[in-house]
Amino acid sequence: MIELTFPLSDAAVRDLKVGDPVSLYGTMVTGRDAAHKWLIDTFIKKTRTPQGDDAQAIEALTPLLKGGAIYHCGPVVAGLDTKQYRFVAAGPTTSIREEPYQADVLQHFGIKAVIGKGGMAARTLAACQSVPAVYLHAIGGAATLIAQTVTRVVGVHKLDFGVPEALWVIEVKAFPAVVTMDSHGHSLHAEVEAQSRAALDRLLKA
Amino acid sequence: MRDLTNDILELIRRTSTDLPPDVEQALGAARQRETQGSAARGALDTILENVTLARRDSSPICQDTGTPIFIVRYPAGWSTRALRAQIREAIAQATKKAYLRPNAVDSLSGKNSGNNLGDDTFPTIHFEEVEGKTLTIDLLLKGGGSENVCAQYSLPHTGLGAGRDLEGVRRVVLDAVHQAQGQGCAPGVLGIAIGGDRGSSYMASKEALLRPLDDVNPDRALADLEARILRETNELGIGPMGFGGKTTVLGVKACGLHRLPASFFVSVSYMCWACRRRRMIADGDAVRYSDRSDP
Ligand code: SF4
């Protein structure tokens, strides 16, 4: 088990290989569909002018994302009325929906780790090589356990996107994951796909 | 006829927070088979720890609490209209208590109803009148990630060399599991229906998921097919979460349905490792719950 604490250095990222089990510590930011679209439209492609608290939010988020991690997760959060936020259930959501955005977001903000489930495709894998960054696969369905690794909810941005879609800044301790896309161009998803394809062909020949 | 709303609420709580022992045992056995220090073993460690925590804290095993599917077998004298109202009320209360996540989205407006109540298909409720005095309610919570990788084939299937026989069934099921990879939160459970029309076939494949993992199909040919598919899907090496490994599938449950001469459908319902099912049995005033929902 390799312990990783955010922010990550380039050297730490380059040391990781597909199949490595890791345990995560430090600060990460949650973001899924609405967050990725917001980052792209407002700050990267700039097809939308910043409005409301956008400028303030990006100023707070930019230093956290540099060398940091984005977690594809729509959490269930308690304490919404008192703002004493607590994560109740926080398993990963399917990452491939962010494939059109992820590479640009990694490059623009210098994000070093994407956390989610199901893996991502060629553009993200290429970005992992150049940034460098890694894709970390969390355990799908392990919602209660992952929520308990969240030791503190530091804050939240763009809560107007709704609780699952907002960008939550959290601190974690011993968050379990596995490297499934590394910065050397390897994807465990592609490898397992190819191996199981060969096994399938064998079984269908019989 | 008594009001069962509170009893059904308890059925929902148990289903969402307490994984049935047969599934937990199968996950434990799968863990033993994976190499120490491997990603597959780590995934199963995390899953099993999560199951223990969810049970202890009475919190959902997974945040996607899925489509609630109820199968109600009622003796003469019960009103299905009253039972439907009680089930819907229990669903709304369970959502308020966070045993369930609000999951009912209007497909046209995109709005989430917020209380898990949609039209008559959400939650899904099937009623069947039975002999005797006992009312049973089976509940299956069918998650979305695994629902997205379910598949239905129309045989013959040229590409897979699948004809209209059990060998053809074997071939398309292996293909379905390969296509799913880890996306349905493997290791999963397969419900397979052979025959029927497209609708009845999918429904029967879901009902097959209620069978305990350790039961044996009374039909010899189907029992052999289940055992073979279990062995061969695990030879694919997809493993927990698709990390690669020895266990891709925990159990296979198949059934046959009558079909039209013109059609031969095979439906594969994929259930994630969070195979959440429970039974409630009401006999007069006494209500009890069972981990086993055998037919
Ligand atoms: S597929 Fe199952 S375990 Fe995975 S996220 Fe969905 S409901 Fe949870």
Side-chain angles (χ1 to χ4, degrees):
Chain A
M1 181 77 72
I2 301 168
E3 293 190 0
L4 297 176
T5 304
F6 298 111
L8 293 181
S9 67
D10 285 3
V13 170
R14 294 276 184 213
D15 275 349
L16 296 168
K17 299 179 309 303
V18 294
D20 285 344
V22 294
S23 184
L24 309 176
Y25 294 80
T27 307
M28 59 174 77
V29 180
T30 71
R32 44 188 287 172
D33 311 67
H36 281 78
K37 194 165 179 347
W38 172 72
L39 291 172
I40 290 279
D41 292 351
T42 321
F43 308 105
I44 300 177
K45 296 216 170 113
K46 302 194 170 136
T47 51
R48 173 184 172 276
T49 41
Q51 298 157 18
D53 59 358
D54 282 356
Q56 215 181 320
I58 206 66
E59 199 185 307
L61 287 167
T62 303
L64 296 172
L65 293 175
K66 179 109 194 113
I70 191 145
Y71 178 26
H72 299 155
C73 168
V76 178
V77 183
L80 293 170
D81 35 5
T82 57
K83 296 198 175 166
Q84 303 284 340
Y85 303 120
R86 188 172 59 81
F87 271 34
V88 179
T93 189
T94 302
S95 297
I96 197 71
R97 289 195 309 269
E98 314 317 332
E99 181 65 15
Y101 313 116
Q102 199 67 72
D104 295 330
V105 169
L106 291 184
Q107 243 127 21
H108 186 89
F109 292 99
I111 295 169
K112 292 277 187 292
V114 179
I115 306 161
K117 74 162 172 152
M120 300 188 76
R123 273 198 76 213
T124 303
L125 187 61
C128 284
Q129 283 180 270
S130 60
V131 171
V134 282
Y135 179 86
L136 305 175
H137 199 302
I139 308 304
T144 295
L145 181 135
I146 295 175
Q148 293 190 7
T149 70
V150 177
T151 51
R152 193 162 84 92
V153 180
V154 182
V156 59
H157 300 281
K158 304 309 291 177
L159 194 50
D160 48 313
F161 292 162
V163 171
E165 297 283 344
L167 295 98
W168 294 88
V169 181
I170 54 176
E171 275 170 18
V172 301
K173 189 176 155 193
F175 178 127
V178 171
V179 180
T180 60
M181 290 162 66
D182 64 22
S183 62
H184 309 287
H186 297 294
S187 159
L188 186 63
H189 306 284
E191 281 171 24
V192 170
E193 215 290 324
Q195 277 164 16
S196 60
R197 155 69 57 195
L200 177 69
D201 289 346
R202 230 174 17 247
L203 288 165
L204 292 185
K205 217 172 271 159
Chain B
M1 243 183 42
R2 53 178 282 218
D3 184 304
L4 293 175
T5 307
N6 282 330
D7 307 288
I8 299 167
L9 175 62
E10 174 62 9
L11 173 69
I12 298 166
R13 186 193 68 80
R14 290 187 186 220
T15 313
S16 178
T17 65
D18 186 1
L19 198 70
D22 58 311
V23 182
E24 193 173 4
Q25 264 156 32
L27 287 164
R31 176 184 172 277
Q32 291 305 325
R33 286 193 292 271
E34 301 292 353
T35 325
Q36 197 93 39
S38 66
R41 177 125 175 182
L44 289 164
D45 280 339
T46 302
I47 286 171
L48 284 161
E49 205 183 324
N50 182 67
V51 167
T52 306
L53 288 174
R55 183 178 293 133
R56 187 195 72 191
D57 298 352
S58 206
S59 67
I61 296 166
C62 178
Q63 81 255 359
D64 182 1
T65 54
T67 308
I69 303 174
F70 290 89
I71 295 166
V72 184
R73 296 192 175 80
Y74 63 99
W78 287 81
S79 153
T80 57
R81 200 156 44 97
L83 282 168
R84 180 182 295 277
Q86 290 166 21
I87 287 173
R88 290 177 69 90
E89 174 59 25
I91 284 283
Q93 286 187 22
T95 309
K96 209 175 266 172
K97 287 181 183 289
Y99 301 144
L100 299 177
R101 180 180 79 175
N103 263 346
V105 178
D106 183 314
S107 297
L108 302 184
S109 70
K111 278 217 177 69
N112 188 319
S113 70
N115 60 2
N116 251 321
L117 297 178
D119 55 26
D120 275 353
T121 63
F122 206 111
T124 301
I125 311 174
H126 290 271
F127 288 107
E128 188 188 322
E129 190 175 316
V130 291
E131 305 248 352
K133 293 202 181 73
T134 311
L135 173 128
T136 61
I137 303 181
D138 289 326
L139 171 59
L140 181 71
L141 294 176
K142 181 71 185 67
S146 58
E147 188 67 8
N148 290 346
V149 298
C150 295
Q152 190 172 64
Y153 296 82
S154 175
L155 271 48
H157 190 295
T158 326
L160 292 167
R164 292 184 159 190
D165 50 22
L166 293 187
E167 168 60 12
V169 175
R170 178 185 82 92
R171 299 177 85 85
V172 297
V173 174
L174 287 173
D175 180 67
V177 174
H178 173 260
Q179 297 227 14
Q181 291 291 306
Q183 306 275 352
C185 288
V189 180
L190 305 178
I192 301 167
I194 306 164
D197 67 11
R198 287 189 185 273
S200 62
S201 188
Y202 254 136
M203 189 56 214
S205 70
K206 286 217 172 79
E207 269 193 64
L209 294 169
L210 290 169
R211 282 174 49 201
L213 294 181
D214 52 9
D215 78 346
V216 177
N217 200 315
D219 182 299
R220 214 16 227 289
L222 288 179
D224 289 348
L225 180 74
E226 291 175 358
R228 182 163 182 198
I229 291 177
L230 179 64
R231 195 181 66 239
E232 293 185 340
T233 45
N234 285 326
E235 284 173 24
L236 292 174
I238 294 164
M241 291 296 133
F243 292 164
K246 297 191 180 70
T247 306
T248 303
V249 169
L250 297 171
V252 180
K253 304 291 157 186
C255 63
L257 299 176
H258 280 78
R259 60 177 174 86
L260 293 178
S263 310
F264 194 116
F265 296 112
V266 178
S267 303
V268 186
S269 275
Y270 194 112
M271 184 74 183
C272 47
W273 66 260
C275 183
R276 291 153 289 178
R277 51 169 148 74
R278 267 297 181 298
R279 169 171 291 179
M280 173 182 140
I281 303 145
D283 249 322
D285 269 350
V287 169
R288 60 193 177 85
Y289 299 91
S290 174
D291 297 332
R292 299 182 70 91
S293 34
D294 312 53

